[in-house]
Amino acid sequence: QLQLVESGGGLVQPGGSLRLSCVASGAPLDYYAIGWFRQAPGKDRQGVSCISDGRTNYADSVKGRFTTSRDNAKNTVYLQMNSLQPEDTGIYYCAARARYCSGYVLPSYEYERWGQGTQVTVSS
């Protein structure tokens, strides 16, 4: 059974960068579409990106700043976050679904498996 573990979160100043990792075990990651989500305190979980079938889709709020990539040999998906701002603060999750994203950043209910999340705090 597929399991996901995120890492790489932390405290960073505005304008800084972080790279999150989502490591999969139990199944080859390239069988799945992988989404990144974030959840700020008191807010709904928000889709950030989705990578599948050779394409990556991003939420408008992160386009040009965040990049999602995958290394199938390492069974890992990355989220490179640049030019971070305080509004990027939240718990970041990766999630897997057994179907393509098909050009969209899909809502959370479209995903079957979730990691435990990693905290990202952007503050001076």
Side-chain angles (χ1 to χ4, degrees), residues 3 5 8 13 15 18-19 27-28 30 34 40 44 51 64 69-70 74 82 86 95 102 110 120 122-123:
Q3 292 186 320
V5 177
Q13 292 187 339
L18 283 174
R19 189 178 78 159
D30 54 351
I34 300 297
D44 292 336
I51 183 168
S69 61
R70 67 196 303 165
K74 295 183 178 180
N82 300 328
S102 301
E110 291 284 351
V120 172
V122 185
S123 175

Side-chain angles (χ1 to χ4, degrees), residues 82-98:
N82 300 328
S83 302
L84 283 162
Q85 299 301 319
E87 53 266 34
D88 295 315
T89 294
I91 300 174
Y92 282 70
Y93 300 88
C94 64
R97 73 192 299 263

Side-chain angles (χ1 to χ4, degrees), residues 41-101:
K43 294 190 176 181
D44 292 336
R45 197 165 293 188
Q46 175 193 27
V48 172
S49 70
C50 186
I51 183 168
S52 73
D53 62 305
R55 294 184 289 178
T56 307
N57 312 296
Y58 298 95
D60 288 343
S61 58
V62 306
K63 279 181 183 176
R65 301 188 299 124
F66 289 13
T67 302
T68 296
S69 61
R70 67 196 303 165
D71 184 337
N72 290 334
K74 295 183 178 180
N75 233 25
T76 301
V77 172
Y78 302 99
L79 181 65
Q80 177 67 44
M81 304 186 295
N82 300 328
S83 302
L84 283 162
Q85 299 301 319
E87 53 266 34
D88 295 315
T89 294
I91 300 174
Y92 282 70
Y93 300 88
C94 64
R97 73 192 299 263
R99 292 164 290 171
Y100 292 153
C101 305

Side-chain angles (χ1 to χ4, degrees), residues 1-2 4 31-33 94-99 107-115:
Q1 191 173 14
L2 182 70
L4 304 172
Y31 290 174
Y32 295 86
C94 64
R97 73 192 299 263
R99 292 164 290 171
S108 59
Y109 59 78
E110 291 284 351
Y111 291 82
E112 295 103 27
R113 306 296 299 176
W114 290 82

